[in-house]
Amino acid sequence: MARIIVVTSGKGGVGKTTTSAAISMGLAKKGHKTAVIDFDVGLRNLDLIMGCERRVIYDLVNVINKEATLNQALIKDKRCDKLFILPASQTRDKDALHLEGVGRILEELSKDFEYIVCDSPAGIEKGAHLAMYFADDAFVVTNPEVSSVRDSDRMLGILASKSRRAENNEEPIREYLLLSRYSPERVRLGEMLSVADVQEILSLNLLGVIPESKSVLNASNSGVPVILDDKSDAGLAYADIIDRYLGINKPHRFIEEEKRSLFNKLFRSK
Amino acid sequence: MSIDSTAVSNQRPAIEFKSSTFAVPALIINSADLKEVNAKILQKIQQAPEFFKNSPVLLDIHSITTEQLDLKLAELIKLIRGHTLIPIALRGGHTELNDIALKSGLFIQPLQTLVDTDKPKTSAPPLETKKSPPASTDPGHPVALRSPIRTDRRTKDDGNAISRIITSPIRSGQRVYSEGDLIIMSQVSAGAEIMAEGNIHVYGSLRGRALAGVLGKLDSRIFCFDCQAELISIAGNYKVKDDLDPAIQHKPIQIYLQNQALIIKAL
């Protein structure tokens, strides 16, 4: 049986799709057969970030409507043969999704994948609900600012009460906190909530902190999941997150400001 | 829960399903002798004819089933309808009786797992009706589902109300309701709402709204370990965050009512 992971947040623009792309690539790179599904029907983005937008023929809605088989719609990643992408439809809206159809697809994928990553749309409406309904694990992506934290809190409430596991009284969804776009310098200046603040409000298991980084934008624009950029701190942060998720103990980094040596302080203005 | 919101049209949908709560008197039948039951109903109705006119009732035949009496349910329902009462549900019957009830247009209300404090004694009259306290607020979607119709055999302020203990965090947007005391072992997030007919205890941070004594119990109190509440209310007397003394923020406090005024004291 596959483990179904939903990447969710409530709020938009916090890095759900970036995270979905990075963690699915990370899991596949570790040798786990992984599928990543874009649930953002109507605002299809995942294929762009994965760099496979020119190979999309069929999409999630086609499979739900039985106009195509899963194998026809799944796109195999060119960089990693363990990774498959199921894109969203750009020409439909979220009402094209329904519980029965999503359940059928996830069940079919569960037969030969180890991990299924569901990239949730923003909001708490139908698309987001369907993306999280069948999940076993939830990666809650949060930015260190109050509205994002509040929305994540709302999402956590929905995960705890409206998922399949909650409705069947099974073991609850495992929830993990991913704090993205974090800048220790701005925390010091009081412009951002600190890791401790966010954890106090959400009381959640911190899986990792992803620093604010230019490499994320570059990676998105060039269609390469940022985890493949092993020179960027964001890429390293996602690699750590995968390790921690798979049970390897790694100390948290990118929480403190980098210490500059005396030499740097003297000779570099910034 | 409605997830099928159509973003395009502003029109109201033709139908909507919403959870709601209302109070129904339970008609507890303790005798299988229909003549006796009939006489007692008549007697009750004569005391307050308007009160009983077209009033829905829930038939509770729990003691009939336990004592294995032979009850002619179909006739009983007919008899009750004849008295302008509207039987809507059956509680405490066995399979055979449930079938008859369903055929007569009643639904089956499962026996609540509450401790029966007023178990009918042998000398109890064969028939009693009690109006349960009105449900003033719709609890929306509390963490655990409550039965759609509450028929309480408890009287108000009997000190035996069921308290609820919750160990997981109450997240933003969640609402929790307790018919007795409410004890939260975790935090209550901003934007969450906790309500109790009795006292409220919060052993984590209280950042949301807390309303104790929502049915008017004036001696209800709120106790919390770390007060950052958005709103606190006891029996309808409330204060919002702006009205709260900043000195009590993040402090363990208790809140109670004295001469219509909310008193907030450090613990």
Side-chain angles (χ1 to χ4, degrees):
Chain A
M1 270 299 280
R3 197 100 192 139
I4 301 172
I5 303 169
V6 61
V7 178
T8 188
S9 71
K11 195 173 182 296
V14 295
K16 284 182 295 297
T17 303
T18 303
T19 300
S20 300
I23 64 163
S24 55
M25 179 61 85
L27 287 167
K29 279 270 182 194
K30 291 268 180 184
H32 302 290
K33 197 173 176 193
T34 304
V36 55
I37 307 175
D38 189 352
F39 274 83
D40 206 348
V41 176
L43 295 168
R44 184 182 111 189
N45 279 159
L46 181 71
D47 49 324
L48 287 173
I49 296 191
M50 299 296 297
C52 64
E53 74 277 10
R54 277 168 293 186
R55 294 197 287 144
V56 174
I57 304 163
Y58 295 110
D59 56 50
L60 177 62
V61 174
N62 292 135
V63 183
I64 283 187
N65 294 344
K66 300 187 181 170
E67 294 151 4
T69 65
L70 255 180
N71 283 334
Q72 287 175 304
L74 283 171
I75 303 170
K76 190 176 188 174
D77 190 86
K78 279 186 174 165
R79 293 150 297 207
C80 180
D81 61 358
K82 297 269 186 193
L83 180 61
F84 292 80
I85 298 129
L86 182 56
S89 169
Q90 182 72 346
T91 53
R92 309 294 286 268
D93 64 34
K94 288 168 183 74
D95 290 335
L97 298 176
H98 52 80
L99 201 64
E100 183 268 323
V102 173
R104 179 167 49 83
I105 288 177
L106 290 175
E107 196 179 318
E108 208 176 319
L109 285 172
S110 290
K111 285 176 196 152
D112 50 50
F113 283 90
E114 286 174 75
Y115 290 99
I116 302 167
V117 178
C118 301
D119 180 21
S120 171
I124 54 173
E125 278 78 37
K126 194 171 187 179
H129 179 251
L130 290 175
M132 70 86 184
Y133 185 78
F134 296 96
D136 301 304
D137 299 318
F139 285 16
V140 179
V141 184
T142 306
N143 286 172
E145 48 104 9
V146 282
S147 60
S148 173
V149 173
R150 174 77 68 97
D151 290 359
S152 295
D153 195 50
R154 178 88 171 98
M155 203 62 218
L156 286 163
I158 293 170
L159 289 170
S161 58
K162 289 179 187 169
S163 62
R164 177 177 63 172
R165 282 172 173 266
E167 285 177 5
N168 296 347
N169 264 330
E170 291 168 33
E171 185 196 330
I173 295 176
R174 280 189 220 154
E175 299 153 345
Y176 301 94
L177 174 64
L178 275 71
L179 200 55
S180 60
R181 310 191 71 164
Y182 194 74
S183 160
E185 198 187 339
R186 295 189 63 191
V187 171
R188 180 171 55 82
L189 296 171
E191 296 171 354
M192 238 182 211
L193 296 175
S194 70
V195 175
D197 292 339
V198 177
Q199 270 197 291
E200 200 207 315
I201 299 172
L202 293 180
S203 54
L204 208 60
N205 183 12
L206 179 71
L207 197 59
V209 173
I210 304 115
E212 172 85 74
S213 166
K214 281 183 189 140
S215 56
V216 172
L217 196 61
N218 290 338
S220 298
N221 287 339
S222 54
V224 182
V226 70
I227 198 168
L228 294 176
D229 182 356
D230 55 12
K231 286 188 188 63
S232 88
D233 41 6
L236 296 172
Y238 277 117
D240 284 2
I241 283 168
I242 293 299
D243 282 343
R244 285 188 205 110
Y245 176 67
L246 295 174
I248 302 163
N249 194 11
K250 284 236 170 156
H252 284 288
R253 28 180 186 168
F254 312 114
I255 294 178
E256 303 293 330
E257 274 183 88
E258 266 177 73
K259 288 194 185 73
R260 286 197 225 127
S261 67
L262 186 64
F263 181 83
N264 277 343
K265 275 183 186 164
L266 286 174
F267 292 97
R268 285 174 61 181
S269 57
K270 205 185 170 203
Chain B
M1 179 189 69
S2 62
I3 50 167
D4 297 310
S5 55
T6 38
V8 200
S9 83
N10 295 325
Q11 277 183 338
R12 275 163 162 269
I15 62 155
E16 282 177 273
F17 273 108
K18 282 193 174 160
S19 74
S20 67
T21 319
F22 64 99
V24 186
L27 181 59
I28 298 154
I29 309 288
N30 291 329
S31 163
D33 181 353
L34 291 188
K35 269 187 192 149
E36 195 188 348
V37 171
N38 190 25
K40 283 284 173 189
I41 292 182
L42 214 60
Q43 196 187 325
K44 275 275 170 197
I45 288 180
Q46 273 161 0
Q47 287 170 7
E50 281 307 307
F51 182 82
F52 290 104
K53 199 172 182 189
N54 295 333
S55 166
V57 288
L58 175 130
L59 286 186
D60 189 319
I61 55 164
H62 183 61
S63 54
I64 302 272
T65 331
T66 14
E67 287 165 38
Q68 297 185 326
L69 298 174
D70 182 27
L71 177 74
K72 295 193 176 66
L73 184 64
E75 283 176 38
L76 175 69
I77 293 171
K78 208 184 274 177
L79 184 154
I80 293 169
R81 284 192 175 133
H83 286 296
T84 70
L85 290 169
I86 305 170
I88 57 165
L90 184 75
R91 179 166 73 182
H94 50 71
T95 331
E96 217 173 289
L97 290 176
N98 287 352
D99 280 349
I100 299 175
L102 281 172
K103 273 183 198 141
S104 313
L106 274 63
F107 74 90
I108 308 302
Q109 162 83 352
L111 264 184
Q112 281 170 327
T113 49
L114 53 91
V115 192
D116 216 348
T117 48
D118 54 354
K119 200 131 190 91
K121 291 164 225 103
T122 38
S123 61
L127 172 81
E128 49 181 303
T129 54
K130 270 182 192 164
K131 194 96 177 165
S132 60
S136 66
T137 38
D138 172 20
H141 38 263
V143 171
L145 282 176
R146 302 189 309 131
S147 61
I149 298 180
R150 294 183 302 132
T151 53
D152 284 3
R153 298 172 72 178
R154 291 180 285 112
T155 46
K156 241 187 196 174
D157 304 335
D158 63 354
N160 279 318
I162 311 128
S163 53
R164 254 180 106 176
I165 302 181
I166 291 176
T167 51
S168 52
I170 313 291
R171 301 290 185 183
S172 185
Q174 287 185 313
R175 299 172 99 185
V176 181
Y177 189 91
S178 167
E179 289 169 25
D181 287 0
L182 181 58
I183 299 156
I184 315 266
M185 306 293 290
S186 184
Q187 62 173 16
V188 179
S189 293
E193 201 166 86
I194 54 173
M195 289 172 284
E197 291 173 20
N199 305 312
I200 291 178
H201 304 250
V202 182
Y203 294 100
S205 300
L206 169 60
R207 300 191 180 91
R209 299 162 162 235
L211 298 92
V214 288
L215 295 186
K217 201 167 175 289
L218 295 170
D219 58 348
S220 312
R221 293 188 182 207
I222 298 172
F223 303 88
C224 70
F225 208 67
D226 170 17
C227 178
Q228 305 170 42
E230 289 174 338
L231 179 145
I232 47 155
S233 158
I234 291 175
N237 299 276
Y238 68 92
K239 275 190 178 173
V240 292
K241 193 165 193 170
D242 268 3
D243 304 333
L244 293 173
D245 182 1
I248 62 150
Q249 289 286 321
H250 299 281
K251 296 267 165 39
I253 54 158
Q254 67 158 322
I255 303 158
Y256 57 92
L257 209 53
Q258 204 172 59
N259 302 329
Q260 304 277 311
L262 284 176
I263 310 290
I264 300 168
K265 271 220 171 111
L267 284 176

